[in-house]
Amino acid sequence: MTDDALRFTRGCVATPHHLGSAAGARVLASGGNAVDAAVAANLVLAVVTPYHCGVGGDLVAIVHDGATSAVTSIGAAPQGATAGAIEAAIAAGHGSNRSQPHRNGMPADGALPVTVPGAVAGWFHLLEQFGSQSFGTVATEAIRIAEDGFVVSPHGAAHVEASRQFLGHRDDWVGMFGAMMPDRRFVQPDLAASLKTLANDGPNAFYRGSIGHRIVEVLGEQGSTMSMGDLTAHEVLQPTPIEGTFRGRRVVELPPPSQGVTALTALGILDRFDPTDDRILASHLAIEASRAAYAERELHLADLGRGLMPAGHTATSLDEIAATIDPERAVPDRIASAMQGGTVYFAAADADGLSISLSQSNFKAFGSGVAVEGTGIGLHNRGAHFTLEHGHPNAIAPGKRPMHTLIPAMVFDGDRLDYIIGTMGGDAQVVIQVQLLASLIDRGLDVRSAVEEPRWLIELGADVVQVEGLADHAVVDAWATLGHRTEWIADRDHRAGHAQIIQVLDDGFAAAADPRAEGFAAGW
């Protein structure tokens, strides 16, 4: 069903900010393809939503052009980043701001959790492998907005203020982002200059040249062992996507260190139960399937080269996990560690059969809070996902990539692409995908209705089900009788994610952007 969704015939893009969507649609209308449009949109999002993504972050994507490819540009820890080196740097005063807790000993902000940023290499790789336009061409709108400025919305300013309590002590962060105030024009000339440098000199400017040298210099002053060798060694990978099934559809996700396998685990468990019109039972089963999947993630998920998590569960193991779920009672003691984050997710498709599902992220809001003066670039803190616990699959090690929450996805009906789907939201990306696919497939909702429905989340550290304010109170009250601890959160709370969906139809596309952000679907 597509009754309430926006319809397009030639191509479309759906992002969480209207300026990003407009930039992508403009590229499509000018003859660019879906990947050109996605990179253009991402670059604008890097300018207007630096609290979610940016030049100093990572990038992952799934691209379909008849074949389906995964693209992961996830940066590794520096070669000098051992647990001992991190502990010594903390002892020397280079740990987190005291307002930010450590996760398993790993600082949450500052230079120590900064891994090699992968976004720049990812953008160039996507354009070279799948695009039709140059970086300079698709970056035009982002450069213009950075030079001329844009008016910061109350929505965007709220994200800045939320970060100010953790990062406001940092002169570098305040100098770069402190002027982002509601209803004021925010100008970023240094970022515009960096984007121009990338357009002129290519990714080497970042990984071998002037921008990279400046990043290494700033990080070194703050206790990091990051070197130019670490930047130069960065690789964009095209690993084999992993897939599972849900209600007869193929769901395609990224392999570890992404938590795509966690989404497939949750969907695979839920698929072992018949669809039901009983909203209480259906939601209880979805919650329990997700809790069980998170417990599996806690035990195993890490860098595929070093971790233990297989590419996907076997039917036997999913049967065994599903057998532990009680349709009449929540199973106790399935508490996993929370891994929250800030991300943008967006999707694009064109009439020539090219589609992309892309996530780009700083991890936690503005990331590390490290702002590289003179470049306009803030650096992510993906390394905060690591632990200093010896022997843990996700323990920090030289050249190791951190576990990622990012899970852009595609859904196929046989060999035919059906949905391009994803969200931001850290841990919640798994449960949001579960809810969206249950709404689309089990209940037959159109894409707009699916993204606008109230959502529930799982606060993993406390094993509490958080529920948006407009959810059905009778259903939520019934969860308590099944043993779930519940907590109300605001309606359309940003923690419930910013999901985008494009449905591929015989005569075009239906698309929707999440009302929890400030974007829309656009195209022609």
Side-chain angles (χ1 to χ4, degrees), residues 173-264:
W173 182 86
V174 172
M176 191 171 290
F177 301 111
M180 291 189 73
M181 302 288 187
D183 300 320
R184 292 188 186 178
R185 183 174 294 274
F186 182 57
V187 180
Q188 300 169 84
D190 289 341
L191 180 56
S194 291
L195 293 175
K196 288 179 180 178
T197 298
L198 293 173
N200 292 329
D201 300 339
N204 280 344
F206 193 93
Y207 296 99
R208 298 173 185 271
S210 59
I211 297 174
H213 281 287
R214 182 63 181 137
I215 289 171
V216 168
E217 178 185 11
V218 168
L219 289 174
E221 292 169 353
Q222 300 181 35
S224 171
T225 61
M226 185 79 74
S227 70
M228 285 304 298
D230 294 314
L231 294 182
T232 302
H234 177 72
E235 292 183 274
V236 181
L237 304 179
Q238 281 197 208
T240 302
I242 59 175
E243 65 177 68
T245 58
F246 180 69
R247 311 304 191 216
R249 264 100 160 168
R250 293 189 300 118
V251 182
V252 177
E253 303 271 3
L254 296 174
S258 158
Q259 66 172 348
V261 68
T262 309
L264 294 182

Side-chain angles (χ1 to χ4, degrees), residues 13 39 75 93 95 132 143 180-181 255 260 284 287 297 299 356 377 387 393 409 414 418 436 470 522:
V13 59
V39 175
S132 65
I143 292 170
M180 291 189 73
M181 302 288 187
H284 165 70
I287 292 168
R297 184 191 77 174
L299 292 173
I356 182 168
I377 298 170
T387 174
D418 202 357
L436 291 173
L470 286 180

Side-chain angles (χ1 to χ4, degrees), residues 350-420:
D350 65 41
D352 293 324
L354 181 63
S355 302
I356 182 168
S357 184
L358 192 153
S359 294
Q360 207 258 301
S361 174
N362 292 333
F363 176 38
K364 180 66 174 177
F366 283 93
S368 65
V370 177
V372 184
E373 186 179 1
T375 69
I377 298 170
L379 301 176
H380 67 173
N381 63 335
R382 275 288 161 189
H385 266 323
F386 285 126
T387 174
L388 300 183
E389 180 185 342
H390 178 72
H392 191 283
N394 201 40
I396 194 167
K400 183 176 180 179
R401 297 176 301 161
M403 177 267 181
H404 256 248
T405 53
L406 307 183
I407 49 172
M410 290 186 177
V411 181
F412 292 81
D413 189 354
D415 292 329
R416 181 186 180 281
L417 179 59
D418 202 357
Y419 296 105
I420 310 162

Side-chain angles (χ1 to χ4, degrees), residues 12-18 20-21 37-39 41-43 45-46 49 51-54 58-64 71 251-254 258 341-349 355-363 382 405-411 417-426 428-430 432-433 436-437 440 447 451 455 494 496-504 510-521:
C12 61
V13 59
T15 88
H17 195 284
H18 57 94
S21 299
V39 175
N42 196 167
L43 289 167
L45 293 171
T49 63
Y51 39 81
H52 289 322
C53 69
D58 275 350
L59 178 153
V60 296
I62 296 175
V63 181
H64 182 71
V71 174
V251 182
V252 177
E253 303 271 3
L254 296 174
S258 158
T343 299
V344 291
Y345 169 79
F346 51 97
S355 302
I356 182 168
S357 184
L358 192 153
S359 294
Q360 207 258 301
S361 174
N362 292 333
F363 176 38
R382 275 288 161 189
T405 53
L406 307 183
I407 49 172
M410 290 186 177
V411 181
L417 179 59
D418 202 357
Y419 296 105
I420 310 162
I421 190 168
T423 183
M424 61 80 85
Q429 292 176 54
V430 169
I432 295 168
Q433 275 198 20
L436 291 173
L437 290 179
L440 292 166
V447 294
V451 300
R455 295 181 188 141
H494 75 91
H498 305 157
Q500 273 66 241
I501 308 175
I502 294 175
Q503 182 181 12
V504 181
D514 204 308
R516 294 164 185 83
E518 49 188 331
F520 55 72

Side-chain angles (χ1 to χ4, degrees), residues 321-334:
I321 299 170
T324 69
I325 291 178
D326 185 345
E328 298 180 356
R329 193 73 186 166
V331 175
D333 301 325
R334 276 182 170 157

Side-chain angles (χ1 to χ4, degrees), residues 24-44:
R26 188 175 291 111
V27 167
L28 286 172
S30 69
N33 66 27
V35 168
D36 300 324
V39 175
N42 196 167
L43 289 167
V44 169

